[in-house]
Amino acid sequence: MLITDDFLPVPVPESLSATYLVPMAGLPKVSAKTAVAALTGRLAEPVHGLARQMLDSPLMSVDTRPITEFPELPPDLLTAFGATEEQLARLAAATHLVVVQAEYRPGWPPAHEWAARAVAAAVAESVDGDVVDVFGLQFLDPATALRSLPDEQGRIRLVDWVLVPYSSDTEGLWFTTKGLRRFGLLELQTQGVPDHLTRAWGAVMTGAARRLLRDWTDGLTGEEVPAFVQLPVLATVTGHDIAVAYGNPEQHGATAPVLLRLELDPATDPEADSFLSLRPPAGHPGPDGRYYAAACATLFSGIQPDVRYARSGDAMSRAVATARAALGDARARFVAGHLPAESQLVVKYGLPGDDGPEYVWAGVTSWEAPERIVGVSASDANTDPSVRIGAPVVVEATDVVDWAVLDATGVIEGGWTQAVLDSGEPPTPSR
């Protein structure tokens, strides 16, 4: 096996397995084969055919057992991963579990996962029940489970298969993926992420997972399963990777790529998992958190710093007036938690300079008092050396000239001043 400084050898498991449960009160109404046959015309090929073939092979088993034969599924963890009270109530009332298990070799397509999820969804639909994804400890209603399977072009949304949970410690946020082991790849992790990057870094991790999963499956295309796949030490992540992972390939912007260094972090405890750590490239100056903030600013570059305007009555002034008029509503929704899921509120405000004000963006972290916004800078300022990416800032609401709501694809609301710049109607410079 060739090992170089440019590639990291990652071990490949001999086989992979998937397990799905369907809780129900009583016994199944129809057989698994009948339930899958009912999906004809609704489930794209080759998944429908794959499910039927695996049902007829030793690679899949479907068993119905009393629920008392199984350890209790942890309600707290199921709730943490999105279970509703109604789903937990149906689980508590269940007398039996239909257990769908499948095995397959590592590679693409992940036949074990696709076929097992399809069969479990078909069985759950026949009894108006739920699917429990044992790997992710997630409840899925049958419609959601079926939508997560490949479409006619073989496309999936990686976010339907890979989660990105995080926790907090004294050094910042610890992000991990949960789902790459479905495909045989070690899970990713990043430590020391600044608190204000909760949503943005989760999207970056998802994009990185998409890119590395493609490299991983490319290394498994041979007839024989290799012992190792060599992954690039420097992983390149782009806005396109993030957009595709979220199922919106047409919405990605032309952002510059970001480099992340891949390190193997083997577990010291035999019962624990090993990880692939994402770090800044070797030689990066400053703390890791600053690199992560700069990476997010690059990948979500729908907003730009250093906007200047002077004329009253021009397009930029109208944009500022529009933003300020809606600022109170933006605060109200932020405080109430009514902004779109997985989004971030940012504001643009002015810094004094010798040649006129410099306008920079900041991510909002707290807005308790209407007149004062607490946040972190989303860019480096030219006029104030203390305003750097990731640095805490306090912004007076009267200084705000624009605001925007961002998600993994860029600006989804607001950003009126940036729209003026992008339209080719910039105002007269103030200097």
Side-chain angles (χ1 to χ4, degrees):
M1 177 180 60
L2 177 64
I3 301 177
T4 72
D5 293 337
D6 296 328
F7 292 91
L8 181 69
V10 178
V12 181
E14 293 183 1
S15 64
L16 300 173
S17 63
T19 303
Y20 290 85
L21 307 176
V22 181
M24 59 180 64
L27 297 175
K29 296 179 179 179
V30 298
S31 69
K33 289 184 179 180
T34 301
V36 170
L39 297 179
T40 301
R42 296 169 50 206
L43 188 60
E45 297 295 349
V47 178
H48 192 214
L50 184 66
R52 296 197 311 271
Q53 292 170 18
M54 291 194 74
L55 270 172
D56 289 330
S57 79
L59 296 174
M60 177 178 284
S61 64
V62 180
D63 299 312
T64 302
R65 304 177 192 174
I67 198 169
T68 53
E69 294 184 7
F70 293 85
E72 181 184 7
L73 292 170
D76 54 342
L77 288 179
L78 289 168
T79 300
F81 286 108
T84 66
E85 293 183 3
E86 292 79 8
Q87 290 169 330
L88 293 175
R90 286 193 290 270
L91 175 63
T95 61
H96 290 77
L97 289 176
V98 175
V99 185
V100 182
Q101 294 181 301
E103 292 189 7
Y104 202 65
R105 55 161 281 174
W108 200 263
H112 59 298
E113 283 286 352
W114 289 357
R117 184 173 287 197
V119 171
V123 172
E125 188 176 71
S126 70
V127 294
D128 295 324
D130 305 298
V131 176
V132 178
D133 172 12
V134 173
F135 182 93
L137 275 179
Q138 273 191 301
F139 270 97
L140 302 170
D141 64 79
T144 299
L146 293 173
R147 280 197 304 270
S148 71
L149 295 166
D151 61 14
E152 292 78 4
Q153 285 75 45
R155 298 172 300 189
I156 62 168
R157 297 191 330 151
L158 193 60
V159 291
D160 292 330
W161 299 88
V162 177
L163 305 175
V164 186
Y166 64 90
S167 58
S168 180
D169 58 29
T170 56
E171 298 180 357
L173 299 177
W174 175 33
F175 283 81
T176 62
T177 59
K178 184 175 179 61
L180 288 177
R181 283 194 295 114
R182 300 178 189 272
F183 312 103
L185 181 59
L186 296 178
E187 303 291 356
L188 306 180
Q189 70 171 0
T190 306
Q191 295 175 292
V193 178
D195 291 349
H196 70 281
L197 298 179
T198 301
R199 295 183 178 91
W201 195 255
V204 173
M205 290 279 286
T206 305
R210 185 257 176 184
R211 173 59 64 100
L212 290 170
L213 182 59
R214 189 178 66 177
D215 293 337
W216 174 255
T217 54
D218 284 348
L220 296 171
T221 55
E223 292 185 5
E224 299 294 328
V225 177
F228 295 86
V229 166
Q230 303 241 30
L231 295 179
V233 169
L234 284 180
T236 302
V237 183
T238 67
H240 178 69
D241 292 315
I242 296 172
V244 171
Y246 279 82
N248 299 310
E250 69 284 352
Q251 295 184 15
H252 76 91
T255 62
V258 164
L259 293 177
L260 294 169
R261 177 163 50 96
L262 204 62
E263 295 182 350
L264 179 61
D265 186 12
T268 55
D269 183 345
E271 301 298 321
D273 293 327
S274 298
F275 285 95
L276 293 173
S277 294
L278 296 175
R279 299 281 312 281
H284 168 70
D288 289 0
R290 177 168 291 183
Y291 185 86
Y292 302 144
C296 291
T298 297
L299 291 170
F300 307 115
S301 60
I303 57 176
Q304 300 295 332
D306 198 21
V307 175
R308 301 172 183 272
Y309 68 98
R311 289 202 312 258
S312 60
D314 64 8
M316 187 62 77
S317 293
R318 291 194 299 271
V320 172
T322 301
R324 283 178 168 163
L327 188 60
D329 177 68
R331 175 185 178 270
R333 288 188 291 146
F334 173 82
V335 172
H338 292 165
L339 292 176
E342 306 299 323
S343 68
Q344 170 73 48
L345 177 64
V346 294
V347 294
K348 182 190 287 183
Y349 66 103
L351 295 172
D354 294 338
D355 298 321
E358 177 185 6
Y359 292 90
V360 293
W361 290 90
V364 179
T365 58
S366 176
W367 199 346
E368 296 181 3
E371 67 276 5
R372 187 169 293 105
I373 304 167
V374 178
V376 289
S377 181
S379 57
D380 292 339
N382 295 323
T383 55
D384 188 340
S386 68
V387 178
R388 291 292 178 264
I389 290 177
V393 294
V394 177
V395 180
E396 298 297 324
T398 54
D399 292 335
V400 172
V401 297
D402 199 0
W403 59 270
V405 178
L406 310 178
D407 69 2
T409 64
V411 177
I412 59 174
E413 183 181 354
W416 292 274
T417 59
Q418 188 63 40
V420 171
L421 293 179
D422 294 341
S423 71
E425 299 182 36
T428 301
S430 61
R431 57 176 177 176

